[in-house]
Amino acid sequence: ITQHTVHFVVDEITNTIDKLNIVKFEAYSETIVDYIKRMNPNQIDEYIKSLDFEKLRVLFEKLLYEVSFIRHFQEKQQYENIYYFLKNSILQRDNDKEKVILFEIIYQYAVVGNMSYENEFLNILPTYVKYVSIKKYIMEKSYLDSFITSLIDAVTYDSAGVYAKAILEFNNNLTVDQIKIMSEATINNSQIYDSYNAQGALKMIFIRHKEHIRPEVLQEINKLMKSHIA
């Protein structure tokens, strides 16, 4: 496989996308998926950087749509390079506006939507929110509230940890009400207080905002999380 060959295939797809019906596009989609599957990580990174952004956006959405139908672990294994391409697209693009656009697409699929194997994207969420442009966008769109809701409703240790670590990036922006909601939810959800990653992030949050936590709730947090927040 050569970069020239891959570029040719992508150009052919993206330049004619508006003219293709869904049946024809699926044939092209399978072709590009096959090429990306055969790339190594370095090739994928370089390819992400070299693509015209509009072409990348089109390809990004189509690939994300495709993996959203994966239901079994065996299927997921066949798409490791596709997941790599999708997760690293934000990391490899230098333009802040492009990062925000790609983040919004992933947010709608992995956070808002009920996407299979969503942790493939959730696990990298704390990394995405470190970017100033994305952090500012999240605040402007009030997405932080949805992160908190997802933390409260966490049904696995992993998801609780991911959202807690993401929320930690906004430690200086949290409101009194948000602190109260998180602290009280923590003592009522074992997926939160028993999650190693969630514990580490939440302890830092609660230490910073302990004056806004009811004493009895703080006492229970200390007990459940084996902490000493005074």
Side-chain angles (χ1 to χ4, degrees), residues 27-51:
Y28 279 94
S29 180
E30 290 175 5
T31 300
I32 191 61
V33 167
D34 185 57
Y35 274 100
I36 294 176
K37 281 181 179 178
R38 286 186 274 163
M39 285 179 165
N40 62 47
N42 288 335
Q43 287 176 316
I44 293 174
D45 288 343
E46 289 304 313
Y47 188 55
I48 291 170
K49 294 175 184 177
S50 68
L51 267 177

Side-chain angles (χ1 to χ4, degrees), residues 14-160:
T14 54
N15 286 336
T16 59
I17 188 170
D18 291 334
K19 302 175 184 178
L20 296 177
N21 61 39
I22 188 61
V23 174
K24 288 182 179 179
F25 181 79
E26 285 176 356
Y28 279 94
S29 180
E30 290 175 5
T31 300
I32 191 61
V33 167
D34 185 57
Y35 274 100
I36 294 176
K37 281 181 179 178
R38 286 186 274 163
M39 285 179 165
N40 62 47
N42 288 335
Q43 287 176 316
I44 293 174
D45 288 343
E46 289 304 313
Y47 188 55
I48 291 170
K49 294 175 184 177
S50 68
L51 267 177
D52 172 80
F53 180 68
E54 184 58 25
K55 293 179 180 180
L56 174 63
R57 185 192 62 78
V58 169
L59 182 57
F60 188 86
E61 288 190 278
K62 294 301 178 181
L63 294 178
L64 193 53
Y65 177 77
E66 182 158 343
V67 299
S68 71
F69 289 101
I70 293 176
R71 294 291 180 269
H72 305 290
F73 180 72
Q74 290 79 5
E75 289 181 283
K76 176 179 171 290
Q77 286 182 306
Q78 300 173 20
Y79 284 79
E80 288 300 323
N81 273 15
I82 303 303
Y83 282 114
Y84 182 91
F85 182 99
L86 290 167
K87 289 191 293 184
N88 280 274
S89 289
I90 290 176
L91 307 183
Q92 295 299 330
R93 300 296 289 200
D94 292 329
N95 184 283
D96 285 339
K97 184 177 179 180
E98 294 175 0
K99 288 181 185 293
V100 167
I101 291 171
L102 296 177
F103 173 79
E104 171 65 19
I105 297 169
I106 278 192
Y107 175 85
Q108 292 300 330
Y109 269 88
V111 180
V112 178
N114 185 24
M115 186 174 186
S116 296
Y117 293 100
E118 59 191 25
N119 278 343
E120 282 290 329
F121 301 104
L122 292 187
N123 287 339
I124 201 171
L125 184 62
T127 300
Y128 291 157
V129 301
K130 290 180 184 294
Y131 290 107
V132 174
S133 57
I134 292 178
K135 184 178 292 187
K136 181 180 178 182
Y137 180 77
I138 289 170
M139 293 300 297
E140 289 174 350
K141 300 285 285 187
S142 298
Y143 285 168
L144 183 55
D145 285 333
S146 72
F147 289 1
I148 293 172
T149 298
S150 295
L151 170 67
I152 292 169
D153 296 336
V155 295
T156 67
Y157 298 142
D158 286 345
S159 62

